[in-house]
Amino acid sequence: MSEYLVVYEKSSNGWGAYAPDLPGCIAVGDTLEETKALMREAISMHVAGLREDGDPVPEPLAQYETVQVA
């Protein structure tokens, strides 16, 4: 089982998400909770599609850091 970093961004009309290690794997929703559920589904489908096509599944390498500013 792999764990991929997912970035969630608030927009003027909802939420968007993407996984940096899975180019093209995105989701959008009206609420953060909806977007999280859609993103879990999108990642599963994306990885399954790569495997079905015989393409390599990228390793989860993205990292994050939060930076405090004054």
Side-chain angles (χ1 to χ4, degrees):
M1 180 178 284
S2 298
E3 291 186 17
Y4 289 95
L5 174 70
V6 176
V7 177
Y8 296 95
E9 297 178 327
K10 177 76 172 115
S11 70
S12 60
N13 60 348
W15 287 84
Y18 66 96
D21 290 318
L22 298 170
C25 186
I26 63 166
V28 294
D30 293 328
T31 66
L32 179 57
E33 294 75 23
E34 176 188 21
T35 305
K36 286 181 177 183
L38 291 170
M39 194 61 190
R40 284 189 294 272
E41 186 177 328
I43 290 172
S44 293
M45 291 174 51
H46 191 87
V47 170
L50 289 171
R51 288 181 176 142
E52 286 177 18
D53 293 342
D55 294 328
V57 177
E59 291 294 320
L61 300 175
Q63 298 183 20
Y64 76 96
E65 175 182 18
T66 58
V67 178
Q68 293 183 352
V69 294

